[in-house]
Amino acid sequence: MPAPAAPEPMTARAAGPLRGTAEVPGDKSVSHRALILGALAVGTTRISGLLEGEDVLDTAAAMRAFGATVERTGPGEWTVAGVGVGGFAEPRDVIDCGNSGTGVRLIMGAMATTPIVATFTGDASLRSRPMGRVTDPLALFGARAVGRKGGRLPMTLVGAAEPVPVRYTLPVASAQVKSAVLLAGLNAPGETAVTEREPSRDHTERMLAGFGARLRIEEAPEGRTIVLTGQPELRPQAVAVPRDPSSAAFPVAAALMVPGSAVRVPGVSRNPTRDGFYRTLVEMGADIAFENPRIEGGEPVADLRVRHSGGLRGIEVPPDRAASMIDEYPVLAALAAFAEGRTLMRGIRELRVTESDRLDAMARGLEACGVCLEEGEDSLAVHGAGPAGVAGGARVAVRLDHRIAMSFLCLGLAARAPVTIDDAGPIATSFPAFLPLMAGLGAVFAP
Ligand code: S3P
């Protein structure tokens, strides 16, 4: 495994309004899935707008290790010549998924019903995250996993030689677990069904249908069940990846923090399973418009136009919205510090097992920047100071977490004193062009 890179401290300071167009990168969730489903199809899938962040590049490398031919033909343009469902070859070496929980969990699902053995690892953040949430349902198919204590990486997965289909109800709202089960179900005979009580992002279902898998959705009071018929022949597709609403959240939030800002973010996914952050902004009184709504590559997209208007109100974010904005809580917490009054975020225990314990990372960082808050096991309340703003003037530990890093750099653009993060390196996992893109809008960052 390569040695961890030296930390790259970065300071953000207030320097006037942000203005212009922010072309954020392709959606991370869709990018992982396009590579994996492309590898499981027979023939050549063409992907445009792929996120070329480290997380996704690690998944591309993994698909090569499992036998697919994955090539970059231009910026964001990739082809994947797939090996077909059940056609994965046994990797010759350990699969390193870097920082990516989505990568490792989806790939484990995709190989779990093929009789091969693979060993997975990742960076220090990924090695601290629980894998039992995917290996438990994968065991029901007949796969066996051996990992470190607490179900942690490195971990070896032995794919089932004679997989059986599975019916599984998700114990946590997790698109990664749902997707792992569906991908495993691809090579099991018969019908695999997965039920979720709260809707999580649905890119896997959408894309499976696009690749020609047979699936149906059953809605019932106890939840939404996706029923997949196993052993289809997946047909290669042209996948146009929409821009990532989770990445768009950073320039959008920064524009709402910095007085005088006006920013346009074109072509952002408006998938309803991903838009909780934007619904929350509207409730807080943000000046945000969703223009030119259209369908691109099977996903609803729109051009976002956001203006700083001041006067954001603190609100209560309902717990049943958590799954639709799980990655946006860090930047929402930063933004809430500039709103008038208290913003209460409940039902966010999952943040404790993301790339870092995001609840704790945000609470400690915000406190260091002079923000009053209350942290619960499953909640965070941020007391916004309104026009008085945020003191800043702190150095914040990002804990190998790209979203913590970007959240505090955004906050530093509007705080009274500069904010330094101890490491900007992790930003490359999801948003490699974040620093130049924000600088293009007028942000001031310095190493
Ligand atoms: C993702 C699902 C979410 C999210 C992650 C991407 C996905 O994780 O936090 O960034 O692409 O399926 P969970 O499944 O753990 O909620």
Side-chain angles (χ1 to χ4, degrees):
M1 233 176 21
E8 301 164 29
M10 190 66 60
T11 298
R13 63 186 73 242
L18 302 174
R19 287 178 179 263
T21 296
E23 299 205 329
V24 301
D27 189 83
K28 184 151 72 68
S29 295
V30 173
S31 295
H32 282 295
R33 287 158 173 80
L35 290 167
I36 295 170
L37 287 185
L40 292 171
V42 177
T44 300
T45 285
R46 291 175 201 287
I47 309 171
S48 58
L50 189 88
L51 165 64
E52 294 177 332
E54 286 169 3
D55 279 11
V56 174
L57 299 180
D58 286 333
T59 290
M63 291 303 99
R64 287 191 190 103
F66 282 101
T69 304
V70 183
E71 282 168 1
R72 182 178 192 266
T73 54
E77 307 281 325
W78 290 65
T79 59
V80 184
V83 293
V85 168
F88 270 0
E90 188 165 271
R92 278 191 283 267
D93 204 346
V94 172
I95 303 293
D96 187 347
C97 290
N99 190 253
S100 182
T102 305
V104 72
R105 291 177 176 140
L106 269 56
I107 296 167
M108 281 184 173
M111 69 143 282
T113 46
T114 301
I116 53 174
V117 178
T119 299
F120 296 88
T121 193
D123 70 5
S125 156
L126 191 58
R127 279 183 275 117
S128 74
R129 297 177 67 184
M131 295 298 141
R133 55 176 55 199
V134 285
T135 54
D136 288 352
L138 297 181
L140 304 175
F141 288 96
R144 281 181 296 123
V146 183
R148 287 192 307 127
K149 202 162 71 191
R152 293 190 158 68
L153 303 180
M155 177 175 274
T156 296
L157 192 64
V158 183
E162 289 176 22
V164 291
V166 159
R167 299 194 78 82
Y168 190 69
T169 299
L170 298 179
V172 284
S174 167
Q176 293 175 358
V177 180
K178 171 177 67 176
S179 302
V181 173
L182 290 172
L183 292 171
L186 278 176
N187 199 37
E191 288 190 335
T192 284
V194 56
T195 301
E196 54 181 1
R197 295 190 189 97
E198 295 156 45
S200 64
R201 65 192 69 196
D202 62 359
H203 308 297
T204 303
E205 300 91 291
R206 285 178 188 249
M207 209 182 279
L208 276 169
F211 275 77
R214 263 187 40 214
L215 41 79
R216 58 177 197 277
I217 312 287
E218 295 171 356
E219 305 280 357
E222 59 276 12
R224 176 174 176 270
T225 301
I226 303 127
V227 184
L228 171 80
T229 303
Q231 301 182 324
E233 180 167 309
L234 298 183
R235 292 186 302 264
Q237 296 296 299
V239 181
V241 181
R243 296 185 196 272
D244 197 323
S246 299
S247 296
F250 295 103
V252 165
L256 292 171
M257 292 179 204
V258 180
S261 297
V263 169
R264 194 174 152 264
V265 194
V268 178
S269 169
R270 291 281 290 142
N271 182 312
T273 61
R274 297 285 298 280
D275 76 346
F277 174 69
Y278 297 94
R279 280 184 278 148
T280 302
L281 294 184
V282 170
E283 286 174 19
M284 292 174 82
D287 182 349
I288 182 164
F290 306 93
E291 298 175 344
N292 305 318
R294 56 199 183 272
I295 301 288
E296 274 179 15
E299 295 264 341
V301 303
D303 304 329
L304 312 188
R305 197 176 280 280
V306 54
R307 285 187 193 81
H308 181 273
S309 53
L312 286 185
R313 296 180 295 276
I315 63 156
E316 196 171 322
V317 186
D320 63 6
R321 195 177 289 168
S324 68
M325 55 178 290
I326 195 68
D327 292 333
E328 284 67 77
Y329 282 99
V331 77
L332 176 65
L335 179 62
F338 294 89
E340 187 106 42
R342 178 172 182 254
T343 295
L344 175 61
M345 296 160 259
R346 289 190 295 125
I348 54 174
R349 190 186 309 273
E350 273 295 289
L351 295 185
R352 298 215 178 265
V353 290
T354 46
E355 282 84 329
S356 67
D357 177 342
R358 284 185 171 155
L359 237 166
D360 190 64
M362 286 311 297
R364 300 295 79 76
L366 287 173
E367 273 170 357
C369 290
V371 177
C372 294
L373 52 86
E374 295 140 45
E375 179 189 359
E377 189 41 42
D378 191 27
S379 67
L380 184 65
V382 174
H383 294 267
V390 172
R395 184 181 172 93
V396 174
V398 308
R399 310 184 190 184
L400 286 178
D401 191 324
H402 51 132
R403 299 201 201 277
I404 302 298
M406 290 186 277
S407 297
F408 280 102
L409 286 178
C410 289
L411 182 136
L413 298 175
R416 290 194 294 280
V419 172
T420 298
I421 57 167
D422 64 346
D423 191 8
I427 295 172
T429 62
S430 69
F431 199 161
F434 173 77
L435 294 173
L437 178 143
M438 294 296 293
L441 300 175
V444 175
F445 301 126

